[in-house]
Amino acid sequence: MNDVSRAAAALRAGDLVAFPTETVYGLGADASNAEAVAKIFAAKGRPADHPLIVHLPHAAQLSRWAMDIPESAHRLADAFWPGPLTLILKRHPAVIDAITGGQDTVGLRVPNHPLALQLLNEFGGGVAAPSANRFGHVSPTTAAHVRDEFGAAVSIVLDGGPSDVGIESTILDLSSARPRILRPGMLDAAALADILGEMPALGANAEAPRVSGSLESHYAPATPLRLVAPTELETTLRDALEAGLSVVVFAPDAASFVHAKLSWQASSMDPARYAHELYASLRRFDAMQRDLIVVAAPPVADSWCAVADRLRRAAAGGK
Ligand code: TXA
Ligand code: MG
């Protein structure tokens, strides 16, 4: 048996499998098996009312999981699946409550990674998978990150190399009249609007279903992180050093000054490259065990929206 076959067998047996996707690594379980899904919540330490995304081998399975599927969902699936887009649709009555957190909608996506697709095709059904990190931690983009998070608690980790995109999928809610982006991702509003024929709304509204990623403290490294305008960077660093703090600074420019307690780390000027490196960088900065991470805020532009969202949340968390 090869690794993928062993992983598919584990899913069938009700066990957890961590696997790569193009966005981040997922911690998967058979989405139709409530006991298996419960193991995800236990392993992550995630509140049980947070809904999970169901990963499918192909869009043809949509109708097993959702109903009243709008035509736009099929067009988006044709255009972007497999890919970093999660669609929120009315749930099919057969979908178990453990997946939906008891809501009347379900999140679905076909991931674009050869190993994930092999696993899903060989398993044949839906695989529920949140990002493979403990609740509130930074999402993993390599198999080594997953092992750091769970150690022996997750015995099967498929290694597909570093995730290409690097941050989580765009979540688009199609369950009510106006399409709404609940979580921005590298697939941006303009690309969705091209297929939808209208601009989606942005952000959760009062009636919108819960998105655990919308909790402010999500995606946070353990080290406090401060997000500052590039023009404020030097003053912030000088103040922190004066206060005796050791600092990692993540900014596109070369070091503007040198100090024994300051470590400059170069960030990319390209949003796709920046997203690809972001979570691995945050983990690396944590490992450096400094007092503070200072990040130069990226430009205010649509192409940076998803990265800026994750940085804001990282800045709101930590200890
Ligand atoms: O890129 C991704 O989406 C990754 C990979 C593994 O596919 N998965 C991921 O899962 O980020 P997770 O659980 O870390 O985040 C999924 C988000 C959560 O914020 C959850 O609340 C939201 O999707 N979600 C799932 N089902 C939903 C629903 N029915 N309504 C609203 N939000 C939902
Ligand atoms: Mg997550």
Side-chain angles (χ1 to χ4, degrees), residues 177-179 189 192-200:
R178 170 104 193 260
L192 296 172
D194 270 351
I195 305 295
L196 284 167
E198 65 177 313
M199 202 61 181

Side-chain angles (χ1 to χ4, degrees), residues 21 23-26 44 46 50-53 55 86 88 100 103 105-107 109 129-131 167-169 171 182-183 209-214:
T21 84
T23 57
V24 301
Y25 274 65
K44 281 193 58 121
R46 172 161 160 145
H50 284 197
L52 298 173
I53 295 171
H55 297 68
T86 296
I88 305 295
T100 65
Q103 304 179 70
T105 56
V106 62
R109 113 174 169 94
S131 50
I167 63 174
E168 302 81 354
S169 61
I171 300 183
L182 299 182
R183 179 176 71 185
R210 281 176 300 267
V211 183
S212 68
S214 65

